[in-house]
Amino acid sequence: MIIDFIADYYKNVEKYPVRSQVEPGYLQKVLPESAPNNPESMETILQDVQQHIVPGITHCGSIAGFLGEMLSSGFNIVGFNWISSPAATELENIVMDWLGQMIKLPKSFLFSGNGGGVIQGTTCEAILCTLTAARDRVLNKIGRENISKLVVYGSDQTHSGLIPLFLCATIGTTAITAVDPLKPLCDVAKQFGIWVHVDAAYAGSACIFPEFRHFIDGVEGADSFSLNAHKWFFATLDCCCLWATNPEYLKNKATESKPVVDYKDWQITLSRSFRSLKLWFVIRNYGMENLRHFLRSHVNMARLFERLVSGDKRFEVVFPCHFAVVCFRVSPLPVLMDKLKTKYENCLLSEEEQINEFNRELLESINASGKAYMTNVVLGGIYAIRFATGATLTEERHVVVAWTVVLITIKIKLKIFLSLVL
């Protein structure tokens, strides 16, 4: 019954608004205030899911990923150490080496090369684990009594006389998918014994095809590397893949004394699910060639949208499009800015703030249409709209529809806007 429900959901997914259109607190109005005293049928529960839960979710996902997730949930394994379920640990060892080889990580990051990988929940967990490992590596050299001298420098900070221990380079930032120059950063960090972590949460998956591998050139100088397979590799949340060249800093003495991996010592939490199963399903169900094909198609669809934006003088691409995210906005053309001054004359907004507000209103109208769902970024004082391709079922026709929604929405906005001004 559940399988049929999910199959029907994906079959009809295009009938739903992309972004949920419900108002805050909607669910409290339709569900009982207390739990039921007696058991309810699965038919009744699924009916409520269809009527009340489905309208409150955003519709995207990977079919192969959730099949592995279903099997993992069905087994209900708590794989905190090897003996609890050897298959869970050993499959994770194998799958992490597979994926590391696919993106051509140096062998030093793999189990086959004395490194190792672990599937964390999210990038936040991966960074916290590697930051802790970096701290311990430094304290082993200078003594734990000097812990107060440690510091992690940000790019806007200057030398303070303390001991830098950790540098996080990003390949594909969340906001605009920018890429840090990895090799020179690693070269400098090496001089000072700084742990380098590469956060490739979004864009790391793109390195499975050769034309994007250059973005992580220099990774051999890093200490750890992570990517989120649940972002752009069709796995379901949570599936953050973390590799380290020196996994001994992620272990404890009990682990080191055994010929096996106890993943409970490689993460923050003690318990863990059979996460590798869903990643194994994705890799095997698609195969490397199909994975490359899908990711390339996403990049090509983003390039199509970028061309559509660039071909309309009312819009501009704000930041370079490296992968499958296009950041664009309505251009601050003189004819439009003259009219914006009238609309916002009582708001004491600068010209940049006026065009930002107009783009914010445009994005809200696009998302309210239910035909497309885009997000925003504010960087350097510029408000931009983010269009991303990356879902399993996304096709070129959806990109064209999304751009059509943008055009229709701005036409309506400008018509209303001009009527208010005049």
Side-chain angles (χ1 to χ4, degrees), residues 272-294:
R272 62 200 324 270
S273 62
F274 200 165
R275 289 172 177 154
S276 59
L277 201 57
K278 55 191 172 185
L279 187 55
W280 189 55
F281 261 63
V282 168
I283 295 174
R284 293 193 63 186
N285 188 248
Y286 283 96
M288 288 194 290
E289 281 306 311
N290 272 332
L291 284 167
R292 293 188 183 103
H293 169 75
F294 269 104

Short mmCIF file of all heavy atoms in Angstrom, two decimals, residues 272-294:
data_model
loop_
_atom_site.label_atom_id
_atom_site.label_comp_id
_atom_site.label_asym_id
_atom_site.label_seq_id
_atom_site.Cartn_x
_atom_site.Cartn_y
_atom_site.Cartn_z
N ARG A 272 23.67 5.33 14.72
CA ARG A 272 23.61 5.74 13.33
C ARG A 272 22.80 4.71 12.54
O ARG A 272 22.73 3.54 12.90
CB ARG A 272 24.99 5.88 12.73
CG ARG A 272 25.81 4.62 12.69
CD ARG A 272 27.32 4.86 12.55
NE ARG A 272 27.65 5.98 11.72
CZ ARG A 272 27.85 5.91 10.40
NH1 ARG A 272 27.69 4.75 9.79
NH2 ARG A 272 28.19 6.98 9.71
N SER A 273 22.17 5.16 11.46
CA SER A 273 21.38 4.27 10.62
C SER A 273 22.26 3.67 9.51
O SER A 273 23.44 4.00 9.39
CB SER A 273 20.20 5.03 10.00
OG SER A 273 20.69 6.07 9.17
N PHE A 274 21.66 2.83 8.71
CA PHE A 274 22.35 2.15 7.61
C PHE A 274 22.40 3.12 6.41
O PHE A 274 21.81 2.88 5.37
CB PHE A 274 21.58 0.88 7.26
CG PHE A 274 22.38 -0.16 6.50
CD1 PHE A 274 21.90 -1.45 6.39
CD2 PHE A 274 23.58 0.15 5.87
CE1 PHE A 274 22.61 -2.43 5.68
CE2 PHE A 274 24.30 -0.80 5.17
CZ PHE A 274 23.80 -2.09 5.08
N ARG A 275 23.13 4.22 6.56
CA ARG A 275 23.12 5.27 5.55
C ARG A 275 23.72 4.84 4.21
O ARG A 275 23.30 5.31 3.15
CB ARG A 275 23.89 6.49 6.06
CG ARG A 275 23.20 7.26 7.17
CD ARG A 275 24.13 8.33 7.73
NE ARG A 275 23.48 9.13 8.75
CZ ARG A 275 24.14 9.75 9.71
NH1 ARG A 275 25.45 9.64 9.80
NH2 ARG A 275 23.48 10.48 10.60
N SER A 276 24.71 3.99 4.26
CA SER A 276 25.40 3.64 3.02
C SER A 276 24.50 2.90 2.05
O SER A 276 24.75 2.89 0.84
CB SER A 276 26.63 2.78 3.33
OG SER A 276 26.25 1.59 4.01
N LEU A 277 23.42 2.30 2.54
CA LEU A 277 22.55 1.51 1.68
C LEU A 277 21.91 2.38 0.60
O LEU A 277 21.82 1.99 -0.56
CB LEU A 277 21.48 0.83 2.53
CG LEU A 277 20.78 -0.40 1.93
CD1 LEU A 277 21.78 -1.47 1.57
CD2 LEU A 277 19.74 -0.95 2.91
N LYS A 278 21.48 3.59 0.97
CA LYS A 278 20.82 4.44 -0.02
C LYS A 278 21.82 4.96 -1.05
O LYS A 278 21.48 5.09 -2.23
CB LYS A 278 20.09 5.60 0.66
CG LYS A 278 20.93 6.47 1.58
CD LYS A 278 20.03 7.39 2.38
CE LYS A 278 20.79 8.15 3.46
NZ LYS A 278 19.88 8.94 4.31
N LEU A 279 23.05 5.23 -0.62
CA LEU A 279 24.07 5.67 -1.57
C LEU A 279 24.47 4.53 -2.50
O LEU A 279 24.68 4.72 -3.70
CB LEU A 279 25.29 6.20 -0.82
CG LEU A 279 26.39 6.85 -1.65
CD1 LEU A 279 25.84 7.99 -2.50
CD2 LEU A 279 27.51 7.35 -0.74
N TRP A 280 24.54 3.34 -1.96
CA TRP A 280 24.84 2.13 -2.75
C TRP A 280 23.76 1.92 -3.80
O TRP A 280 24.06 1.61 -4.95
CB TRP A 280 24.92 0.94 -1.79
CG TRP A 280 25.42 -0.35 -2.35
CD1 TRP A 280 26.60 -0.57 -3.00
CD2 TRP A 280 24.76 -1.62 -2.27
NE1 TRP A 280 26.71 -1.90 -3.33
CE2 TRP A 280 25.59 -2.58 -2.90
CE3 TRP A 280 23.55 -2.04 -1.72
CZ2 TRP A 280 25.25 -3.92 -3.00
CZ3 TRP A 280 23.21 -3.39 -1.82
CH2 TRP A 280 24.05 -4.31 -2.44
N PHE A 281 22.50 2.12 -3.41
CA PHE A 281 21.39 1.98 -4.35
C PHE A 281 21.51 3.00 -5.48
O PHE A 281 21.30 2.66 -6.65
CB PHE A 281 20.05 2.18 -3.63
CG PHE A 281 19.35 0.90 -3.27
CD1 PHE A 281 19.94 -0.01 -2.39
CD2 PHE A 281 18.13 0.57 -3.81
CE1 PHE A 281 19.32 -1.19 -2.05
CE2 PHE A 281 17.48 -0.61 -3.48
CZ PHE A 281 18.08 -1.50 -2.59
N VAL A 282 21.82 4.24 -5.16
CA VAL A 282 21.93 5.28 -6.18
C VAL A 282 23.02 4.95 -7.18
O VAL A 282 22.81 5.00 -8.40
CB VAL A 282 22.21 6.65 -5.52
CG1 VAL A 282 22.62 7.68 -6.57
CG2 VAL A 282 20.98 7.15 -4.77
N ILE A 283 24.20 4.60 -6.69
CA ILE A 283 25.33 4.33 -7.57
C ILE A 283 25.05 3.12 -8.46
O ILE A 283 25.32 3.13 -9.66
CB ILE A 283 26.62 4.12 -6.75
CG1 ILE A 283 27.01 5.43 -6.04
CG2 ILE A 283 27.76 3.68 -7.65
CD1 ILE A 283 28.18 5.28 -5.08
N ARG A 284 24.47 2.08 -7.88
CA ARG A 284 24.22 0.88 -8.66
C ARG A 284 23.03 1.04 -9.60
O ARG A 284 23.03 0.54 -10.72
CB ARG A 284 23.99 -0.31 -7.73
CG ARG A 284 25.24 -0.70 -6.94
CD ARG A 284 25.07 -2.05 -6.29
NE ARG A 284 24.90 -3.11 -7.29
CZ ARG A 284 24.62 -4.38 -6.98
NH1 ARG A 284 24.46 -4.72 -5.70
NH2 ARG A 284 24.49 -5.28 -7.91
N ASN A 285 21.99 1.74 -9.14
CA ASN A 285 20.79 1.88 -9.96
C ASN A 285 21.01 2.78 -11.16
O ASN A 285 20.43 2.55 -12.23
CB ASN A 285 19.64 2.42 -9.10
CG ASN A 285 18.31 2.41 -9.82
OD1 ASN A 285 17.75 3.45 -10.13
ND2 ASN A 285 17.79 1.23 -10.09
N TYR A 286 21.85 3.80 -11.01
CA TYR A 286 22.15 4.70 -12.12
C TYR A 286 23.38 4.24 -12.90
O TYR A 286 23.38 4.25 -14.13
CB TYR A 286 22.38 6.13 -11.61
CG TYR A 286 21.13 6.88 -11.26
CD1 TYR A 286 20.67 6.93 -9.95
CD2 TYR A 286 20.40 7.56 -12.23
CE1 TYR A 286 19.51 7.62 -9.61
CE2 TYR A 286 19.25 8.26 -11.90
CZ TYR A 286 18.81 8.29 -10.59
OH TYR A 286 17.67 8.97 -10.26
N GLY A 287 24.45 3.88 -12.19
CA GLY A 287 25.72 3.62 -12.86
C GLY A 287 26.43 4.93 -13.12
O GLY A 287 25.80 5.99 -13.22
N MET A 288 27.74 4.88 -13.24
CA MET A 288 28.52 6.10 -13.36
C MET A 288 28.16 6.90 -14.62
O MET A 288 28.08 8.13 -14.58
CB MET A 288 30.02 5.78 -13.34
CG MET A 288 30.53 5.36 -11.97
SD MET A 288 32.34 5.37 -11.87
CE MET A 288 32.73 3.98 -12.93
N GLU A 289 27.95 6.22 -15.74
CA GLU A 289 27.66 6.95 -16.97
C GLU A 289 26.33 7.70 -16.88
O GLU A 289 26.22 8.85 -17.32
CB GLU A 289 27.65 5.98 -18.16
CG GLU A 289 29.03 5.61 -18.64
CD GLU A 289 29.89 6.83 -18.97
OE1 GLU A 289 29.41 7.73 -19.68
OE2 GLU A 289 31.03 6.90 -18.47
N ASN A 290 25.30 7.07 -16.33
CA ASN A 290 24.02 7.75 -16.19
C ASN A 290 24.08 8.88 -15.18
O ASN A 290 23.41 9.92 -15.35
CB ASN A 290 22.93 6.75 -15.80
CG ASN A 290 22.28 6.10 -17.00
OD1 ASN A 290 22.23 6.68 -18.08
ND2 ASN A 290 21.79 4.88 -16.83
N LEU A 291 24.85 8.70 -14.12
CA LEU A 291 25.02 9.79 -13.16
C LEU A 291 25.66 10.99 -13.83
O LEU A 291 25.24 12.13 -13.63
CB LEU A 291 25.86 9.32 -11.97
CG LEU A 291 25.14 8.41 -10.97
CD1 LEU A 291 26.13 7.75 -10.02
CD2 LEU A 291 24.09 9.18 -10.18
N ARG A 292 26.69 10.73 -14.62
CA ARG A 292 27.33 11.83 -15.36
C ARG A 292 26.35 12.47 -16.32
O ARG A 292 26.31 13.70 -16.47
CB ARG A 292 28.56 11.31 -16.12
CG ARG A 292 29.71 10.86 -15.22
CD ARG A 292 30.96 10.56 -16.05
NE ARG A 292 32.03 10.05 -15.20
CZ ARG A 292 32.39 8.78 -15.12
NH1 ARG A 292 31.75 7.86 -15.84
NH2 ARG A 292 33.37 8.40 -14.33
N HIS A 293 25.55 11.66 -16.99
CA HIS A 293 24.56 12.18 -17.94
C HIS A 293 23.56 13.09 -17.24
O HIS A 293 23.26 14.19 -17.74
CB HIS A 293 23.83 11.02 -18.62
CG HIS A 293 22.62 11.45 -19.40
ND1 HIS A 293 22.71 12.08 -20.62
CD2 HIS A 293 21.28 11.36 -19.11
CE1 HIS A 293 21.48 12.36 -21.06
NE2 HIS A 293 20.61 11.93 -20.16
N PHE A 294 23.04 12.66 -16.11
CA PHE A 294 22.04 13.46 -15.40
C PHE A 294 22.64 14.78 -14.91
O PHE A 294 22.04 15.85 -15.06
CB PHE A 294 21.48 12.67 -14.21
CG PHE A 294 20.26 11.86 -14.54
CD1 PHE A 294 20.35 10.49 -14.71
CD2 PHE A 294 19.03 12.46 -14.70
CE1 PHE A 294 19.24 9.74 -15.03
CE2 PHE A 294 17.90 11.72 -15.01
CZ PHE A 294 18.00 10.35 -15.18
#
